[in-house]
Amino acid sequence: MVAVLLPGAPAFAHNALTEATPAKNAELKKAPDGVTLKFLQKLNPDYTVISVSDADKQKVATSDPKIDGATGSVTFDELLANGVYTVAYQVVSTDGHTVKGSYKFTLDDPSYVAPTSAAPSLSPSAEPAAPPVSAAPAVIDAEPASDSGSSSALAWIAGIAVLVFAGLAGFLFVRRRKA
């Protein structure tokens, strides 16, 4: 009887970010090698996206996400320059809901020296270099997903079911005592 009256764990729990390296709003003095994100639930490699962009919203070149249980990570292909960076992620919860989010960190490495570009050769035999080709960046909505409508509806249904069972149990208890 008690097992029926005790509320169960909600089946509609979404995955959530629990730890990030670099941390949210961190001010770093040394460029990180990559980004590591830890979540509450195991990640599905097929539906995990982690991207990093600079202050100009240009995607930073990273490796594909590496997944180890509830941890996802990417490494940077090149050394980061000083500035503000945004980490954006998109994962799928065990219950099938997509969870999105983002946060910023700042790099202010006093030893960083901006690379200088060599002056182009003006010799007549030199051909102009082709412009660099880059892949279109993956689009990630940085707004956290919200399913509060369906979650609150499920909570109401579960609450009503518990009240119905409690009422029925009370009715049967009183009925048996009278008999």
Side-chain angles (χ1 to χ4, degrees):
M1 177 82 76
V2 173
V4 172
L5 297 177
L6 290 176
F12 47 84
H14 295 306
N15 209 350
L17 181 65
T18 60
E19 187 179 328
T21 306
K24 179 180 180 181
N25 298 322
E27 294 186 19
L28 308 175
K29 296 295 180 191
K30 183 178 182 247
D33 295 328
V35 172
T36 301
L37 305 176
K38 292 184 183 180
F39 293 85
L40 287 174
Q41 300 172 1
K42 185 177 176 182
L43 299 175
N44 182 334
D46 296 333
Y47 299 107
T48 300
V49 177
I50 301 172
S51 68
V52 180
S53 56
D54 61 19
D56 295 329
K57 298 186 184 197
Q58 297 299 310
K59 187 174 177 186
V60 174
T62 64
S63 65
D64 289 334
K66 292 184 181 36
I67 308 303
D68 182 16
T71 302
S73 62
V74 294
T75 56
F76 297 119
D77 293 348
E78 297 177 3
L79 187 64
L80 296 181
N82 287 338
V84 177
Y85 292 89
T86 301
V87 176
Y89 58 88
Q90 177 176 318
V91 298
V92 174
S93 297
T94 303
D95 64 0
H97 287 94
T98 300
V99 176
K100 301 176 186 181
S102 66
Y103 69 91
K104 295 182 186 294
F105 71 88
T106 303
L107 176 59
D108 186 14
D109 183 351
S111 65
Y112 176 77
V113 178
T116 57
S117 60
S121 171
L122 296 178
S123 69
S125 63
E127 295 197 22
V133 177
S134 63
V139 177
I140 294 182
D141 182 6
E143 292 297 317
S146 173
D147 274 340
S148 60
S150 64
S151 295
S152 62
L154 287 174
W156 275 101
I157 292 170
I160 290 170
V162 167
L163 288 175
V164 167
F165 283 120
L168 181 60
F171 173 76
L172 291 175
F173 180 75
V174 170
R175 182 108 163 123
R176 284 188 184 245
R177 288 200 73 176
K178 286 183 180 181

